[in-house]
Amino acid sequence: MEANFAQRMQISTAWIDTDKFPRKPTSFLRFSGRFKEHKGHQVFVSAQFRPVRDENRHRWASFQVSCSYNNSQVSTLESESLQDLLDEEALILKNKSQEIEPYLNGRCIYLVGMMGSGKTTVGKILSRTIHYSFCDCDKLVEQDVGVPSVAKIFEIHGEDFFRDKETEALEKLSIEHRFVVSTGGGAVIRDENWMYMSKGISVWLDVPLEELAQRIAAVGTKSRPLLDNESGDAYTNAFRRLSTLFEKRHKAYKNAKARVSLENIAAKLGYKDVSNITPAMIAIEVFYCLFHVFSCILYFCKTRTLVFLL
């Protein structure tokens, strides 16, 4: 009987909505009506997620449902993955990429923004969706110098040396096609870097400083050479230093051809804060913004042509 019951059990997978999570998910777990009728049964649900937080952190997650009856285990059901949780996002990404790809015409996409803004994570989603290659500019510099991290380069050679190498990397990338490039947070401070990035299209990922400070405080500052110099509360120190950096850089970020604001995304989705926004949602917004940019360019070109003909 117990085995038959377990076989009849139907589960609809989605996010578990609970206040116990520090970063509240955006959906819930549902059981079928037939299962709810069996009130005497206990069901234990556990989700196992990848320890690495990347763009697929919600997509790949095995889960296990154990059904017990009278304190004896009946059956265990396992999923292959929770990839279906992002089906809607994946479909939107695919559709938007098909709309935007003809306008890109192979041009590179340069993601700019403060440290911790998700340039690498979002960049990988974009590159896979539009079948571009992905490049982390910091990694190019590390490979060129032969040093394993940007923090180590700062320690050995200093920031000016790193900035020179960063500019060299962007110069090399400027002649490439079909790349999504994650730039360093400070790449925007040099005019020559913008000259190289102008060969493609630049997108600013604008994340509130409070969110950036929370992200960085959560993972530590050892990989952030401009932040790893203070003792005390990690969040307070990160927020103070980020505020100083943003004050110096925010005008430069505005040079980007498109701006993706997480606060705007949260407002459109009805979220109270930006912490619930997934990288896939940000990637979708990037495509919307790029489409708007190209639409404006096309309109401007048609208007100039019409004026010329008149």
Side-chain angles (χ1 to χ4, degrees):
M1 180 184 72
E2 292 87 356
N4 290 336
F5 168 72
Q7 290 174 358
R8 292 199 307 269
M9 185 173 66
Q10 294 181 351
I11 299 173
S12 175
T13 58
W15 292 113
I16 301 172
D17 194 1
T18 172
D19 292 330
K20 295 180 180 179
F21 287 82
R23 290 169 65 88
K24 188 174 179 182
T26 58
S27 187
F28 51 92
L29 185 70
R30 298 190 301 270
F31 294 95
S32 70
R34 284 187 296 173
F35 175 71
K36 291 178 181 178
E37 295 172 1
H38 298 268
K39 299 183 183 299
H41 295 275
Q42 288 183 310
V43 177
F44 301 92
V45 181
S46 63
Q48 298 177 342
F49 296 88
R50 283 184 173 182
V52 179
R53 294 184 59 192
D54 57 18
E55 70 275 9
N56 293 323
R57 71 184 188 275
H58 299 313
R59 178 172 293 185
W60 300 109
S62 64
F63 72 94
Q64 178 176 299
V65 178
S66 299
C67 175
S68 64
Y69 178 67
N70 289 340
N71 296 322
S72 61
Q73 180 146 339
V74 175
S75 177
T76 297
L77 305 179
E78 294 188 10
S79 73
E80 294 180 357
S81 73
L82 295 185
Q83 190 169 7
D84 58 325
L85 295 182
L86 276 184
D87 276 354
E88 184 178 356
E89 289 179 346
L91 180 60
I92 297 173
L93 279 168
K94 181 180 179 181
N95 290 338
K96 297 308 296 182
S97 69
Q98 290 174 345
E99 289 181 9
I100 202 69
E101 204 163 1
Y103 298 104
L104 284 172
N105 196 28
R107 278 181 290 229
C108 293
I109 298 174
Y110 294 90
L111 299 180
V112 302
M114 293 285 286
M115 62 182 77
S117 59
K119 298 183 293 291
T120 296
T121 303
V122 174
K124 288 179 179 178
I125 296 178
L126 293 172
S127 64
R128 291 169 186 168
T129 306
I130 58 178
H131 307 293
Y132 269 35
S133 298
F134 174 76
C135 177
D136 186 324
C137 198
D138 285 351
K139 296 297 181 185
L140 279 185
V141 175
E142 291 168 5
Q143 293 169 8
D144 182 38
V145 179
V147 175
S149 69
V150 172
K152 200 67 177 177
I153 295 174
F154 269 61
E155 179 184 336
I156 297 173
H157 302 286
E159 182 177 358
D160 288 342
F161 175 87
F162 172 79
R163 297 299 174 198
D164 291 339
K165 289 296 182 180
E166 183 176 57
T167 298
E168 290 177 13
L170 289 171
E171 181 181 10
K172 293 175 182 177
L173 287 167
S174 67
I175 62 173
E176 300 291 342
H177 295 84
R178 302 185 68 84
F179 269 90
V180 175
V181 180
S182 169
T183 66
V188 297
I189 62 178
R190 289 192 175 185
D191 291 339
E192 54 193 316
N193 291 346
W194 284 108
M195 179 183 69
Y196 296 130
M197 289 190 288
S198 67
K199 305 291 181 61
I201 185 163
S202 51
V203 180
W204 172 24
L205 301 187
D206 185 9
V207 182
L209 296 181
E210 295 84 357
E211 175 67 12
L212 293 177
Q214 288 177 3
R215 293 179 185 180
I216 292 171
V219 300
T221 58
K222 290 189 179 298
S223 63
R224 311 286 184 181
L226 294 180
L227 299 183
D228 194 35
N229 293 315
E230 299 182 47
S231 59
D233 179 67
Y235 172 83
T236 302
N237 291 337
F239 181 80
R240 181 171 57 249
R241 185 62 177 135
L242 287 168
S243 299
T244 301
L245 290 173
F246 186 74
E247 184 64 28
K248 296 178 180 177
R249 298 174 180 175
H250 76 278
K251 291 182 180 179
Y253 287 130
K254 292 180 180 179
N255 289 328
K257 292 185 174 70
R259 171 178 172 257
V260 173
S261 166
L262 265 66
E263 289 184 331
N264 290 346
I265 298 175
K268 287 196 296 185
L269 297 176
Y271 291 171
K272 292 182 179 179
D273 58 64
V274 303
S275 62
N276 291 324
I277 299 173
T278 67
M281 294 175 185
I282 300 172
I284 290 169
E285 189 68 15
V286 170
F287 284 138
Y288 275 113
C289 289
L290 290 179
F291 188 78
H292 176 72
V293 168
F294 286 120
S295 297
C296 290
I297 292 174
L298 287 174
Y299 177 79
F300 178 72
C301 292
K302 289 179 180 178
T303 303
R304 287 191 63 184
T305 301
L306 180 60
V307 171
F308 178 78
L309 290 175
L310 291 175

